Amino acid sequence: MEEGKEKMSTLKKTENNLGQDEKVRSLWKQSVIQFKHNRLAVVGLVIIVLFIVTILTPLAVDQITNYSFYNEYILKQDLSLRLAKPSLAHPFGCDEFGRDLLLRILWGTKLSFAIGVVAIALSVIMGAPFGMIAAFYGGKTDNAIMRVMDVLLAVPYMLLAMAIVAALGTSTFNLLLALAVSGIAKYARIARAAVLTVKDSEFVEAARAVGASDGTILFQYILPNALAPILVQVSLGIGDSILAVAVKGVGVCFRPPQPEWGAILTTARTYMRDAWHISVFPGLFLILAVIAFNLFGDGLRDALDPKLKR
């Protein structure tokens, strides 16, 4: 009899686990369906994928050709083509040194994206844990952490980043650090708000009842259920970060002849009247990247919102 009861208990637990797994799969499936119905979000995702392909292709060529492609086509100057207008041979025209603008913009995509994505990742890694801890423990811990975040938010984003770069010096790492520190407070507040919505849920109380540690409850039970708003803000923040890299990266870690969207735009200001294409095309790529991430982020927000499930 006891063996039979144990088998029945094990069977029920298995059925409950399978039911929970099916429920999780169903929620993810609904999110995917919801995302597919948002055409603008799909367009944004397609553009992002094309940018990723654009990044990976030069990297592959760079490795296969042993950097000869970069030296031969990206850095090679031909003054006879100086400020050449767009043509079949050079669809985006040539810059002030006769270099093909299309190839330089495509090659510079990886620089803008890499710095932007890594900066946001560092912001989340450094900021989100503070917000989670503040929301989970509350009281004096919450008050102390969030007052520090309020001080960071009181300083303008651009001013804080420029101050960090000015204090530490001009380098790629310092630019990354400046962008990351500038976003810590934002992601801390987002993580705090997300944790507050789920910290008093029944599954959290059940985890406490069985003796789970605070770390287990916070990272194994609360974080997966509070991850959606953080992911949405990350997707939206990448576009802002790419734009910030284009603005602040010039003269900090990107110097001629290294191709990068912001660096190309900066040098193009001198030739705006005589060669409009040098500023228009990299500007369009920058705008397209920011719009793509914003569309993708909006679609992701709607897809992960349980109130909008079909």
Side-chain angles (χ1 to χ4, degrees), residues 73-118:
Y73 295 99
I74 307 300
L75 298 181
K76 186 178 180 181
Q77 300 180 11
D78 186 356
L79 294 180
S80 64
L81 296 173
R82 183 177 183 274
L83 303 179
K85 303 295 183 182
S87 62
L88 292 177
H90 304 282
F92 286 6
C94 298
D95 63 6
E96 68 275 17
F97 295 107
R99 298 171 297 198
D100 187 89
L101 191 59
L102 173 59
L103 292 177
R104 289 182 61 80
I105 292 174
L106 293 178
W107 197 278
T109 303
K110 64 179 181 180
L111 299 175
S112 299
F113 269 64
I115 300 294
V117 171
V118 172

Side-chain angles (χ1 to χ4, degrees), residues 35-271:
F35 186 86
K36 288 181 179 178
H37 278 81
N38 191 329
R39 295 182 179 179
L40 290 177
V42 174
V43 171
L45 178 60
V46 170
I47 294 173
I48 293 171
V49 171
L50 291 176
F51 272 120
I52 293 173
V53 172
T54 302
I55 294 170
L56 295 178
T57 302
L59 288 175
V61 173
D62 206 17
Q63 295 297 324
I64 293 172
T65 59
N66 197 23
Y67 302 103
S68 61
F69 183 87
Y70 180 77
N71 294 326
E72 183 67 22
Y73 295 99
I74 307 300
L75 298 181
K76 186 178 180 181
Q77 300 180 11
D78 186 356
L79 294 180
S80 64
L81 296 173
R82 183 177 183 274
L83 303 179
K85 303 295 183 182
S87 62
L88 292 177
H90 304 282
F92 286 6
C94 298
D95 63 6
E96 68 275 17
F97 295 107
R99 298 171 297 198
D100 187 89
L101 191 59
L102 173 59
L103 292 177
R104 289 182 61 80
I105 292 174
L106 293 178
W107 197 278
T109 303
K110 64 179 181 180
L111 299 175
S112 299
F113 269 64
I115 300 294
V117 171
V118 172
I120 291 297
L122 291 175
S123 293
V124 175
I125 293 172
M126 292 189 291
F130 285 111
M132 293 171 60
I133 293 171
F136 185 75
Y137 289 105
K140 294 182 179 179
T141 302
D142 182 17
N143 189 51
I145 292 176
M146 297 317 296
R147 296 299 74 77
V148 175
M149 297 304 157
D150 289 341
V151 172
L152 290 176
L153 285 173
V155 182
Y157 176 82
M158 286 285 189
L159 181 61
L160 179 60
M162 292 172 64
I164 293 173
V165 172
L168 299 180
T170 57
S171 68
T172 304
F173 176 79
N174 291 340
L175 175 63
L176 278 172
L177 184 63
L179 293 173
V181 172
S182 301
I184 286 177
K186 178 174 68 174
Y187 289 101
R189 294 184 70 87
I190 293 169
R192 177 179 179 273
V195 171
L196 285 175
T197 60
V198 298
K199 65 174 291 188
D200 295 325
S201 302
E202 293 180 357
F203 62 88
V204 177
E205 296 298 330
R208 285 198 181 98
V210 298
S213 64
D214 290 349
T216 300
I217 294 173
L218 192 57
F219 292 99
Q220 187 172 339
Y221 295 99
I222 293 180
L223 180 58
N225 291 277
L227 202 57
I230 299 175
L231 290 176
V232 171
Q233 190 57 47
V234 165
S235 63
L236 294 172
I238 290 175
D240 295 336
S241 183
I242 291 173
L243 187 60
V245 170
V247 174
K248 293 193 283 285
V250 180
V252 177
C253 59
F254 305 126
R255 294 183 176 86
Q258 192 176 29
E260 192 272 332
W261 294 348
I264 296 173
L265 283 170
T266 300
T267 58
R269 290 182 301 179
T270 309
Y271 308 98

